PDB file of all heavy atoms in Angstrom:
ATOM      1  N   ARG D   1       6.487  -2.572  -9.246  1.00 94.00           N
ATOM      2  CA  ARG D   1       5.858  -1.371  -9.803  1.00 94.00           C
ATOM      3  C   ARG D   1       4.336  -1.501  -9.814  1.00 94.00           C
ATOM      4  O   ARG D   1       3.622  -0.541  -9.506  1.00 94.00           O
ATOM      5  CB  ARG D   1       6.402  -1.113 -11.213  1.00 94.00           C
ATOM      6  CG  ARG D   1       5.991   0.244 -11.748  1.00 94.00           C
ATOM      7  CD  ARG D   1       6.631   0.515 -13.080  1.00 94.00           C
ATOM      8  NE  ARG D   1       6.108  -0.466 -14.025  1.00 94.00           N
ATOM      9  CZ  ARG D   1       6.555  -0.631 -15.252  1.00 94.00           C
ATOM     10  NH1 ARG D   1       7.541   0.079 -15.697  1.00 94.00           N
ATOM     11  NH2 ARG D   1       6.022  -1.531 -16.048  1.00 94.00           N
ATOM     12  N   SER D   2       3.826  -2.687 -10.140  1.00 94.00           N
ATOM     13  CA  SER D   2       2.375  -2.907 -10.142  1.00 94.00           C
ATOM     14  C   SER D   2       1.798  -2.773  -8.733  1.00 94.00           C
ATOM     15  O   SER D   2       0.731  -2.187  -8.537  1.00 94.00           O
ATOM     16  CB  SER D   2       2.036  -4.296 -10.690  1.00 94.00           C
ATOM     17  OG  SER D   2       2.424  -4.406 -12.029  1.00 94.00           O
ATOM     18  N   ILE D   3       2.518  -3.302  -7.766  1.00 95.00           N
ATOM     19  CA  ILE D   3       2.069  -3.216  -6.370  1.00 95.00           C
ATOM     20  C   ILE D   3       2.053  -1.750  -5.926  1.00 95.00           C
ATOM     21  O   ILE D   3       1.091  -1.288  -5.308  1.00 95.00           O
ATOM     22  CB  ILE D   3       2.989  -4.046  -5.449  1.00 95.00           C
ATOM     23  CG1 ILE D   3       3.039  -5.495  -5.907  1.00 95.00           C
ATOM     24  CG2 ILE D   3       2.521  -3.960  -4.005  1.00 95.00           C
ATOM     25  CD1 ILE D   3       4.170  -6.296  -5.307  1.00 95.00           C
ATOM     26  N   THR D   4       3.121  -1.024  -6.257  1.00 95.00           N
ATOM     27  CA  THR D   4       3.209   0.397  -5.902  1.00 95.00           C
ATOM     28  C   THR D   4       2.090   1.193  -6.561  1.00 95.00           C
ATOM     29  O   THR D   4       1.479   2.067  -5.930  1.00 95.00           O
ATOM     30  CB  THR D   4       4.585   0.964  -6.301  1.00 95.00           C
ATOM     31  OG1 THR D   4       5.596   0.155  -5.708  1.00 95.00           O
ATOM     32  CG2 THR D   4       4.749   2.393  -5.840  1.00 95.00           C
ATOM     33  N   ASN D   5       1.800   0.904  -7.824  1.00 95.00           N
ATOM     34  CA  ASN D   5       0.703   1.595  -8.519  1.00 95.00           C
ATOM     35  C   ASN D   5      -0.641   1.285  -7.872  1.00 95.00           C
ATOM     36  O   ASN D   5      -1.486   2.170  -7.728  1.00 95.00           O
ATOM     37  CB  ASN D   5       0.680   1.217 -10.001  1.00 95.00           C
ATOM     38  CG  ASN D   5       1.796   1.848 -10.782  1.00 95.00           C
ATOM     39  OD1 ASN D   5       2.359   2.873 -10.384  1.00 95.00           O
ATOM     40  ND2 ASN D   5       2.160   1.236 -11.892  1.00 95.00           N
ATOM     41  N   TRP D   6      -0.837   0.028  -7.462  1.00 95.00           N
ATOM     42  CA  TRP D   6      -2.080  -0.334  -6.786  1.00 95.00           C
ATOM     43  C   TRP D   6      -2.221   0.452  -5.487  1.00 95.00           C
ATOM     44  O   TRP D   6      -3.294   0.955  -5.174  1.00 95.00           O
ATOM     45  CB  TRP D   6      -2.106  -1.847  -6.519  1.00 95.00           C
ATOM     46  CG  TRP D   6      -3.389  -2.296  -5.891  1.00 95.00           C
ATOM     47  CD1 TRP D   6      -4.524  -2.674  -6.536  1.00 95.00           C
ATOM     48  CD2 TRP D   6      -3.671  -2.383  -4.482  1.00 95.00           C
ATOM     49  NE1 TRP D   6      -5.499  -2.999  -5.609  1.00 95.00           N
ATOM     50  CE2 TRP D   6      -5.002  -2.831  -4.349  1.00 95.00           C
ATOM     51  CE3 TRP D   6      -2.933  -2.131  -3.340  1.00 95.00           C
ATOM     52  CZ2 TRP D   6      -5.602  -3.033  -3.118  1.00 95.00           C
ATOM     53  CZ3 TRP D   6      -3.539  -2.334  -2.108  1.00 95.00           C
ATOM     54  CH2 TRP D   6      -4.858  -2.777  -2.008  1.00 95.00           C
ATOM     55  N   CYS D   7      -1.109   0.555  -4.751  1.00 95.00           N
ATOM     56  CA  CYS D   7      -1.128   1.306  -3.492  1.00 95.00           C
ATOM     57  C   CYS D   7      -1.455   2.777  -3.740  1.00 95.00           C
ATOM     58  O   CYS D   7      -2.276   3.367  -3.027  1.00 95.00           O
ATOM     59  CB  CYS D   7       0.215   1.181  -2.768  1.00 95.00           C
ATOM     60  SG  CYS D   7       0.515  -0.437  -2.067  1.00 95.00           S
ATOM     61  N   ARG D   8      -0.826   3.362  -4.736  1.00 95.00           N
ATOM     62  CA  ARG D   8      -1.064   4.779  -5.054  1.00 95.00           C
ATOM     63  C   ARG D   8      -2.533   4.988  -5.437  1.00 95.00           C
ATOM     64  O   ARG D   8      -3.181   5.927  -4.971  1.00 95.00           O
ATOM     65  CB  ARG D   8      -0.144   5.201  -6.200  1.00 95.00           C
ATOM     66  CG  ARG D   8      -0.191   6.698  -6.475  1.00 95.00           C
ATOM     67  CD  ARG D   8       0.774   7.136  -7.575  1.00 95.00           C
ATOM     68  NE  ARG D   8       2.146   6.687  -7.306  1.00 95.00           N
ATOM     69  CZ  ARG D   8       2.834   5.851  -8.102  1.00 95.00           C
ATOM     70  NH1 ARG D   8       2.298   5.373  -9.203  1.00 95.00           N
ATOM     71  NH2 ARG D   8       4.063   5.500  -7.791  1.00 95.00           N
ATOM     72  N   LYS D   9      -3.067   4.101  -6.273  1.00 95.00           N
ATOM     73  CA  LYS D   9      -4.462   4.205  -6.719  1.00 95.00           C
ATOM     74  C   LYS D   9      -5.435   4.118  -5.545  1.00 95.00           C
ATOM     75  O   LYS D   9      -6.462   4.804  -5.523  1.00 95.00           O
ATOM     76  CB  LYS D   9      -4.747   3.080  -7.717  1.00 95.00           C
ATOM     77  CG  LYS D   9      -6.166   3.002  -8.188  1.00 95.00           C
ATOM     78  CD  LYS D   9      -6.353   1.795  -9.101  1.00 95.00           C
ATOM     79  CE  LYS D   9      -7.819   1.466  -9.195  1.00 95.00           C
ATOM     80  NZ  LYS D   9      -8.060   0.109  -9.618  1.00 95.00           N
ATOM     81  N   ASN D  10      -5.099   3.309  -4.549  1.00 94.00           N
ATOM     82  CA  ASN D  10      -5.988   3.104  -3.406  1.00 94.00           C
ATOM     83  C   ASN D  10      -5.582   3.909  -2.169  1.00 94.00           C
ATOM     84  O   ASN D  10      -6.064   3.639  -1.070  1.00 94.00           O
ATOM     85  CB  ASN D  10      -6.061   1.611  -3.079  1.00 94.00           C
ATOM     86  CG  ASN D  10      -6.750   0.857  -4.182  1.00 94.00           C
ATOM     87  OD1 ASN D  10      -7.945   1.031  -4.390  1.00 94.00           O
ATOM     88  ND2 ASN D  10      -6.013   0.048  -4.923  1.00 94.00           N
ATOM     89  N   LYS D  11      -4.706   4.873  -2.373  1.00 94.00           N
ATOM     90  CA  LYS D  11      -4.288   5.810  -1.323  1.00 94.00           C
ATOM     91  C   LYS D  11      -3.691   5.105  -0.112  1.00 94.00           C
ATOM     92  O   LYS D  11      -3.964   5.448   1.035  1.00 94.00           O
ATOM     93  CB  LYS D  11      -5.442   6.711  -0.916  1.00 94.00           C
ATOM     94  CG  LYS D  11      -5.944   7.568  -2.055  1.00 94.00           C
ATOM     95  CD  LYS D  11      -7.082   8.454  -1.664  1.00 94.00           C
ATOM     96  CE  LYS D  11      -7.483   9.270  -2.863  1.00 94.00           C
ATOM     97  NZ  LYS D  11      -8.887   9.333  -3.088  1.00 94.00           N
ATOM     98  N   ILE D  12      -2.857   4.109  -0.381  1.00 94.00           N
ATOM     99  CA  ILE D  12      -2.155   3.380   0.669  1.00 94.00           C
ATOM    100  C   ILE D  12      -0.690   3.788   0.602  1.00 94.00           C
ATOM    101  O   ILE D  12      -0.045   3.600  -0.435  1.00 94.00           O
ATOM    102  CB  ILE D  12      -2.318   1.857   0.493  1.00 94.00           C
ATOM    103  CG1 ILE D  12      -3.802   1.506   0.640  1.00 94.00           C
ATOM    104  CG2 ILE D  12      -1.453   1.102   1.483  1.00 94.00           C
ATOM    105  CD1 ILE D  12      -4.156   0.092   0.311  1.00 94.00           C
ATOM    106  N   PRO D  13      -0.160   4.394   1.658  1.00 94.00           N
ATOM    107  CA  PRO D  13       1.221   4.887   1.610  1.00 94.00           C
ATOM    108  C   PRO D  13       2.241   3.754   1.557  1.00 94.00           C
ATOM    109  O   PRO D  13       2.093   2.729   2.222  1.00 94.00           O
ATOM    110  CB  PRO D  13       1.367   5.681   2.913  1.00 94.00           C
ATOM    111  CG  PRO D  13       0.307   5.139   3.812  1.00 94.00           C
ATOM    112  CD  PRO D  13      -0.805   4.650   2.947  1.00 94.00           C
ATOM    113  N   VAL D  14       3.256   3.956   0.725  1.00 94.00           N
ATOM    114  CA  VAL D  14       4.381   3.028   0.623  1.00 94.00           C
ATOM    115  C   VAL D  14       5.566   3.695   1.314  1.00 94.00           C
ATOM    116  O   VAL D  14       5.907   4.839   1.014  1.00 94.00           O
ATOM    117  CB  VAL D  14       4.711   2.706  -0.845  1.00 94.00           C
ATOM    118  CG1 VAL D  14       5.946   1.825  -0.942  1.00 94.00           C
ATOM    119  CG2 VAL D  14       3.524   2.036  -1.522  1.00 94.00           C
ATOM    120  N   ILE D  15       6.187   2.973   2.235  1.00 93.00           N
ATOM    121  CA  ILE D  15       7.283   3.526   3.029  1.00 93.00           C
ATOM    122  C   ILE D  15       8.592   2.879   2.588  1.00 93.00           C
ATOM    123  O   ILE D  15       8.714   1.652   2.588  1.00 93.00           O
ATOM    124  CB  ILE D  15       7.041   3.255   4.529  1.00 93.00           C
ATOM    125  CG1 ILE D  15       5.721   3.890   4.962  1.00 93.00           C
ATOM    126  CG2 ILE D  15       8.203   3.750   5.370  1.00 93.00           C
ATOM    127  CD1 ILE D  15       5.171   3.349   6.252  1.00 93.00           C
ATOM    128  N   ASP D  16       9.558   3.717   2.182  1.00 91.00           N
ATOM    129  CA  ASP D  16      10.891   3.224   1.851  1.00 91.00           C
ATOM    130  C   ASP D  16      11.723   3.198   3.124  1.00 91.00           C
ATOM    131  O   ASP D  16      11.833   4.198   3.821  1.00 91.00           O
ATOM    132  CB  ASP D  16      11.576   4.148   0.839  1.00 91.00           C
ATOM    133  CG  ASP D  16      10.906   4.111  -0.525  1.00 91.00           C
ATOM    134  OD1 ASP D  16      10.413   3.039  -0.898  1.00 91.00           O
ATOM    135  OD2 ASP D  16      10.885   5.148  -1.214  1.00 91.00           O
ATOM    136  N   ALA D  17      12.308   2.056   3.420  1.00 89.00           N
ATOM    137  CA  ALA D  17      13.175   1.928   4.593  1.00 89.00           C
ATOM    138  C   ALA D  17      14.358   1.052   4.189  1.00 89.00           C
ATOM    139  O   ALA D  17      14.207  -0.160   4.038  1.00 89.00           O
ATOM    140  CB  ALA D  17      12.429   1.321   5.771  1.00 89.00           C
ATOM    141  N   GLY D  18      15.487   1.697   3.993  1.00 90.00           N
ATOM    142  CA  GLY D  18      16.656   0.959   3.533  1.00 90.00           C
ATOM    143  C   GLY D  18      16.425   0.466   2.123  1.00 90.00           C
ATOM    144  O   GLY D  18      16.002   1.203   1.247  1.00 90.00           O
ATOM    145  N   LYS D  19      16.662  -0.812   1.908  1.00 90.00           N
ATOM    146  CA  LYS D  19      16.473  -1.392   0.585  1.00 90.00           C
ATOM    147  C   LYS D  19      15.062  -1.933   0.373  1.00 90.00           C
ATOM    148  O   LYS D  19      14.707  -2.324  -0.728  1.00 90.00           O
ATOM    149  CB  LYS D  19      17.477  -2.530   0.371  1.00 90.00           C
ATOM    150  CG  LYS D  19      18.906  -2.061   0.273  1.00 90.00           C
ATOM    151  CD  LYS D  19      19.820  -3.230  -0.009  1.00 90.00           C
ATOM    152  CE  LYS D  19      21.255  -2.753  -0.137  1.00 90.00           C
ATOM    153  NZ  LYS D  19      22.156  -3.876  -0.439  1.00 90.00           N
ATOM    154  N   ALA D  20      14.281  -1.977   1.420  1.00 90.00           N
ATOM    155  CA  ALA D  20      12.934  -2.561   1.339  1.00 90.00           C
ATOM    156  C   ALA D  20      11.858  -1.476   1.330  1.00 90.00           C
ATOM    157  O   ALA D  20      12.083  -0.342   1.745  1.00 90.00           O
ATOM    158  CB  ALA D  20      12.713  -3.494   2.515  1.00 90.00           C
ATOM    159  N   LYS D  21      10.691  -1.850   0.844  1.00 93.00           N
ATOM    160  CA  LYS D  21       9.517  -0.984   0.863  1.00 93.00           C
ATOM    161  C   LYS D  21       8.425  -1.692   1.654  1.00 93.00           C
ATOM    162  O   LYS D  21       8.274  -2.911   1.581  1.00 93.00           O
ATOM    163  CB  LYS D  21       9.038  -0.697  -0.552  1.00 93.00           C
ATOM    164  CG  LYS D  21      10.011   0.149  -1.345  1.00 93.00           C
ATOM    165  CD  LYS D  21       9.457   0.479  -2.698  1.00 93.00           C
ATOM    166  CE  LYS D  21      10.465   1.332  -3.453  1.00 93.00           C
ATOM    167  NZ  LYS D  21       9.939   1.777  -4.728  1.00 93.00           N
ATOM    168  N   TYR D  22       7.673  -0.894   2.402  1.00 94.00           N
ATOM    169  CA  TYR D  22       6.660  -1.437   3.294  1.00 94.00           C
ATOM    170  C   TYR D  22       5.343  -0.684   3.145  1.00 94.00           C
ATOM    171  O   TYR D  22       5.301   0.441   2.660  1.00 94.00           O
ATOM    172  CB  TYR D  22       7.103  -1.305   4.758  1.00 94.00           C
ATOM    173  CG  TYR D  22       8.382  -2.035   5.074  1.00 94.00           C
ATOM    174  CD1 TYR D  22       9.613  -1.392   4.993  1.00 94.00           C
ATOM    175  CD2 TYR D  22       8.365  -3.368   5.472  1.00 94.00           C
ATOM    176  CE1 TYR D  22      10.792  -2.056   5.287  1.00 94.00           C
ATOM    177  CE2 TYR D  22       9.531  -4.041   5.769  1.00 94.00           C
ATOM    178  CZ  TYR D  22      10.743  -3.377   5.676  1.00 94.00           C
ATOM    179  OH  TYR D  22      11.904  -4.045   5.970  1.00 94.00           O
ATOM    180  N   VAL D  23       4.277  -1.333   3.613  1.00 94.00           N
ATOM    181  CA  VAL D  23       2.978  -0.682   3.775  1.00 94.00           C
ATOM    182  C   VAL D  23       2.498  -0.990   5.197  1.00 94.00           C
ATOM    183  O   VAL D  23       2.924  -1.971   5.804  1.00 94.00           O
ATOM    184  CB  VAL D  23       1.934  -1.174   2.746  1.00 94.00           C
ATOM    185  CG1 VAL D  23       2.296  -0.738   1.355  1.00 94.00           C
ATOM    186  CG2 VAL D  23       1.742  -2.671   2.803  1.00 94.00           C
ATOM    187  N   ILE D  24       1.626  -0.146   5.692  1.00 93.00           N
ATOM    188  CA  ILE D  24       1.026  -0.374   7.008  1.00 93.00           C
ATOM    189  C   ILE D  24      -0.156  -1.327   6.799  1.00 93.00           C
ATOM    190  O   ILE D  24      -1.072  -1.022   6.033  1.00 93.00           O
ATOM    191  CB  ILE D  24       0.552   0.954   7.645  1.00 93.00           C
ATOM    192  CG1 ILE D  24       1.662   1.989   7.681  1.00 93.00           C
ATOM    193  CG2 ILE D  24      -0.037   0.709   9.024  1.00 93.00           C
ATOM    194  CD1 ILE D  24       2.837   1.638   8.543  1.00 93.00           C
ATOM    195  N   SER D  25      -0.130  -2.456   7.475  1.00 92.00           N
ATOM    196  CA  SER D  25      -1.161  -3.472   7.240  1.00 92.00           C
ATOM    197  C   SER D  25      -2.564  -2.985   7.621  1.00 92.00           C
ATOM    198  O   SER D  25      -3.549  -3.457   7.061  1.00 92.00           O
ATOM    199  CB  SER D  25      -0.822  -4.771   7.962  1.00 92.00           C
ATOM    200  OG  SER D  25      -0.678  -4.566   9.332  1.00 92.00           O
ATOM    201  N   THR D  26      -2.662  -2.032   8.519  1.00 92.00           N
ATOM    202  CA  THR D  26      -3.972  -1.486   8.886  1.00 92.00           C
ATOM    203  C   THR D  26      -4.648  -0.835   7.679  1.00 92.00           C
ATOM    204  O   THR D  26      -5.857  -0.969   7.495  1.00 92.00           O
ATOM    205  CB  THR D  26      -3.831  -0.455  10.029  1.00 92.00           C
ATOM    206  OG1 THR D  26      -3.186  -1.088  11.127  1.00 92.00           O
ATOM    207  CG2 THR D  26      -5.177   0.077  10.459  1.00 92.00           C
ATOM    208  N   PHE D  27      -3.859  -0.154   6.838  1.00 93.00           N
ATOM    209  CA  PHE D  27      -4.421   0.450   5.625  1.00 93.00           C
ATOM    210  C   PHE D  27      -4.974  -0.635   4.697  1.00 93.00           C
ATOM    211  O   PHE D  27      -6.027  -0.451   4.075  1.00 93.00           O
ATOM    212  CB  PHE D  27      -3.372   1.274   4.875  1.00 93.00           C
ATOM    213  CG  PHE D  27      -3.102   2.611   5.492  1.00 93.00           C
ATOM    214  CD1 PHE D  27      -2.000   2.800   6.305  1.00 93.00           C
ATOM    215  CD2 PHE D  27      -3.942   3.684   5.259  1.00 93.00           C
ATOM    216  CE1 PHE D  27      -1.739   4.030   6.871  1.00 93.00           C
ATOM    217  CE2 PHE D  27      -3.689   4.921   5.830  1.00 93.00           C
ATOM    218  CZ  PHE D  27      -2.595   5.104   6.640  1.00 93.00           C
ATOM    219  N   ILE D  28      -4.270  -1.756   4.612  1.00 93.00           N
ATOM    220  CA  ILE D  28      -4.731  -2.860   3.763  1.00 93.00           C
ATOM    221  C   ILE D  28      -6.020  -3.441   4.338  1.00 93.00           C
ATOM    222  O   ILE D  28      -6.988  -3.672   3.605  1.00 93.00           O
ATOM    223  CB  ILE D  28      -3.644  -3.966   3.661  1.00 93.00           C
ATOM    224  CG1 ILE D  28      -2.311  -3.395   3.174  1.00 93.00           C
ATOM    225  CG2 ILE D  28      -4.113  -5.120   2.795  1.00 93.00           C
ATOM    226  CD1 ILE D  28      -2.347  -2.718   1.840  1.00 93.00           C
ATOM    227  N   ASP D  29      -6.065  -3.648   5.652  1.00 91.00           N
ATOM    228  CA  ASP D  29      -7.273  -4.162   6.308  1.00 91.00           C
ATOM    229  C   ASP D  29      -8.459  -3.223   6.072  1.00 91.00           C
ATOM    230  O   ASP D  29      -9.569  -3.672   5.769  1.00 91.00           O
ATOM    231  CB  ASP D  29      -7.055  -4.330   7.808  1.00 91.00           C
ATOM    232  CG  ASP D  29      -6.036  -5.397   8.148  1.00 91.00           C
ATOM    233  OD1 ASP D  29      -5.752  -6.257   7.287  1.00 91.00           O
ATOM    234  OD2 ASP D  29      -5.507  -5.365   9.277  1.00 91.00           O
ATOM    235  N   LEU D  30      -8.228  -1.924   6.218  1.00 92.00           N
ATOM    236  CA  LEU D  30      -9.303  -0.947   6.013  1.00 92.00           C
ATOM    237  C   LEU D  30      -9.788  -0.946   4.570  1.00 92.00           C
ATOM    238  O   LEU D  30     -10.984  -0.799   4.309  1.00 92.00           O
ATOM    239  CB  LEU D  30      -8.846   0.448   6.420  1.00 92.00           C
ATOM    240  CG  LEU D  30      -8.641   0.653   7.917  1.00 92.00           C
ATOM    241  CD1 LEU D  30      -8.002   2.018   8.188  1.00 92.00           C
ATOM    242  CD2 LEU D  30      -9.949   0.518   8.664  1.00 92.00           C
ATOM    243  N   TYR D  31      -8.861  -1.119   3.630  1.00 93.00           N
ATOM    244  CA  TYR D  31      -9.245  -1.180   2.217  1.00 93.00           C
ATOM    245  C   TYR D  31     -10.195  -2.358   1.986  1.00 93.00           C
ATOM    246  O   TYR D  31     -11.258  -2.197   1.401  1.00 93.00           O
ATOM    247  CB  TYR D  31      -8.010  -1.308   1.311  1.00 93.00           C
ATOM    248  CG  TYR D  31      -8.388  -1.640  -0.103  1.00 93.00           C
ATOM    249  CD1 TYR D  31      -8.842  -0.654  -0.975  1.00 93.00           C
ATOM    250  CD2 TYR D  31      -8.351  -2.954  -0.569  1.00 93.00           C
ATOM    251  CE1 TYR D  31      -9.234  -0.972  -2.263  1.00 93.00           C
ATOM    252  CE2 TYR D  31      -8.740  -3.269  -1.848  1.00 93.00           C
ATOM    253  CZ  TYR D  31      -9.178  -2.282  -2.697  1.00 93.00           C
ATOM    254  OH  TYR D  31      -9.569  -2.595  -3.967  1.00 93.00           O
ATOM    255  N   PHE D  32      -9.804  -3.553   2.454  1.00 92.00           N
ATOM    256  CA  PHE D  32     -10.641  -4.736   2.235  1.00 92.00           C
ATOM    257  C   PHE D  32     -11.972  -4.617   2.971  1.00 92.00           C
ATOM    258  O   PHE D  32     -13.014  -5.008   2.447  1.00 92.00           O
ATOM    259  CB  PHE D  32      -9.903  -6.013   2.628  1.00 92.00           C
ATOM    260  CG  PHE D  32      -8.884  -6.430   1.607  1.00 92.00           C
ATOM    261  CD1 PHE D  32      -7.537  -6.387   1.900  1.00 92.00           C
ATOM    262  CD2 PHE D  32      -9.277  -6.853   0.346  1.00 92.00           C
ATOM    263  CE1 PHE D  32      -6.598  -6.758   0.946  1.00 92.00           C
ATOM    264  CE2 PHE D  32      -8.347  -7.228  -0.611  1.00 92.00           C
ATOM    265  CZ  PHE D  32      -6.998  -7.187  -0.309  1.00 92.00           C
ATOM    266  N   GLU D  33     -11.944  -4.066   4.169  1.00 91.00           N
ATOM    267  CA  GLU D  33     -13.180  -3.861   4.922  1.00 91.00           C
ATOM    268  C   GLU D  33     -14.122  -2.938   4.155  1.00 91.00           C
ATOM    269  O   GLU D  33     -15.324  -3.194   4.049  1.00 91.00           O
ATOM    270  CB  GLU D  33     -12.858  -3.266   6.289  1.00 91.00           C
ATOM    271  CG  GLU D  33     -14.072  -3.007   7.140  1.00 91.00           C
ATOM    272  CD  GLU D  33     -13.713  -2.349   8.456  1.00 91.00           C
ATOM    273  OE1 GLU D  33     -12.653  -2.666   9.018  1.00 91.00           O
ATOM    274  OE2 GLU D  33     -14.508  -1.503   8.910  1.00 91.00           O
ATOM    275  N   SER D  34     -13.581  -1.872   3.603  1.00 92.00           N
ATOM    276  CA  SER D  34     -14.367  -0.924   2.818  1.00 92.00           C
ATOM    277  C   SER D  34     -14.982  -1.596   1.589  1.00 92.00           C
ATOM    278  O   SER D  34     -16.153  -1.368   1.265  1.00 92.00           O
ATOM    279  CB  SER D  34     -13.481   0.248   2.394  1.00 92.00           C
ATOM    280  OG  SER D  34     -14.122   1.046   1.456  1.00 92.00           O
TER     281      SER D  34
END
């Protein structure tokens, strides 16, 4: 839940696929670069 909230706060989409949740690593890279 904390990870999901962090993603929502930083406008990083969380993708539900089956039982797992994923993020696109490019969004994470862009966040840190910014």
Side-chain angles (χ1 to χ4, degrees):
R1 191 175 64 188
S2 296
I3 303 165
T4 306
N5 287 337
W6 183 88
C7 289
R8 188 177 306 118
K9 176 184 162 201
N10 293 292
K11 298 180 179 135
I12 297 172
V14 176
I15 301 162
D16 292 326
K19 292 183 179 181
K21 293 184 180 185
Y22 300 92
V23 292
I24 307 296
S25 58
T26 303
F27 283 99
I28 305 301
D29 294 341
L30 290 172
Y31 169 80
F32 283 113
E33 180 183 324
S34 169

